[in-house]
Amino acid sequence: AATGPSSTTRQVGGAAVAAGIAGLAVSGPILGVAAGGTAAYVASTQSNSIGSATRNAGEAVATVGDKAREIDRKHDITEKSKQMARSATQKAKELDDKHEIVNKSKQMANTVIEKAKEVNQKHHVVEKSKGAAGKAANSARNFNEKHHVVDRTKDAARKAAVSAKDFNDKHHVTEKAKVAAVVTSKKLMEGVTFVSKKISKK
């Protein structure tokens, strides 16, 4: 394909960001990465209407980024945010120094732990819990040995798998799903091309 003479780094980068975000929103990170890479390739290599539209979209995204940086430089938003964070941290430290919040929290936690130990030593909570768990495990094992639950579950799973395979062999579900996926992908690409052409005409 012919190299796009009007493509710039900012346009290519902006196109990748725009397509990546759109793909992520529609179908998750995998399609997002693929869409971003495809847009970057189209913006940097195609001199047709689709390439032009992609570069225009990339330029628009880059312009938004430029505007954000300009506003930040003008109003010192980043620096003010840092100052607010430092101020909040200092206030929290002053409050803790005055009221010993951290130390009191540690003391409360230690008190709770000690109380729990006392209750356990008095009532043997841990030992009783272990005993109950052991009894439950033994009961489950005895029930399974009597009623063959595990074996029946395995048999049911095998039968379900065989039924699913038979149904697929009869109705060609897998093949139809593949065809549907191909058609959907084709329609998606047609939609992208249509939108790109509409953008390039403006």
Side-chain angles (χ1 to χ4, degrees), residues 9-187:
T9 301
R10 58 187 273 113
Q11 289 174 337
V12 173
V17 169
I21 291 173
L24 178 64
V26 172
S27 297
I30 295 177
L31 182 57
V33 172
T38 301
Y41 173 80
V42 171
S44 60
T45 62
Q46 301 298 311
S47 58
N48 55 22
S49 61
I50 296 177
S52 176
T54 306
R55 286 188 291 276
N56 289 339
E59 180 65 30
V61 171
T63 300
V64 170
D66 292 341
K67 190 64 177 177
R69 285 190 290 273
E70 179 184 336
I71 293 173
D72 180 51
R73 284 194 297 269
K74 184 176 180 181
H75 299 284
D76 295 322
I77 294 173
T78 300
E79 184 58 33
K80 288 178 180 177
S81 299
K82 290 179 181 178
Q83 290 175 358
M84 288 177 65
R86 285 194 292 266
S87 177
T89 302
Q90 184 60 32
K91 288 292 184 183
K93 186 177 182 302
E94 291 174 3
L95 189 65
D96 180 58
D97 290 341
K98 183 177 180 181
H99 299 285
E100 298 183 342
I101 296 172
V102 173
N103 189 46
K104 289 179 180 178
S105 298
K106 289 180 179 178
Q107 291 176 355
M108 289 178 63
N110 289 333
T111 299
V112 171
I113 292 172
E114 288 301 321
K115 288 293 183 182
K117 287 181 179 178
E118 291 176 9
V119 171
N120 179 60
Q121 288 172 357
K122 183 177 180 180
H123 300 285
H124 308 290
V125 177
V126 174
E127 288 81 358
K128 290 178 179 178
S129 298
K130 289 181 179 178
K135 289 179 180 178
N138 287 332
S139 296
R141 187 162 47 249
N142 292 335
F143 185 85
N144 178 63
E145 289 174 354
K146 182 178 180 180
H147 299 284
H148 308 290
V149 177
V150 174
D151 293 336
R152 291 179 179 179
T153 302
K154 290 180 179 179
D155 289 340
R158 281 193 292 268
K159 289 178 181 179
V162 171
S163 295
K165 184 178 182 302
D166 292 341
F167 185 84
N168 180 62
D169 292 341
K170 182 177 180 181
H171 299 283
H172 310 291
V173 177
T174 302
E175 289 79 359
K176 291 177 181 178
K178 290 180 180 178
V179 172
V182 171
V183 172
T184 301
S185 299
K186 183 178 179 182
K187 290 295 182 182

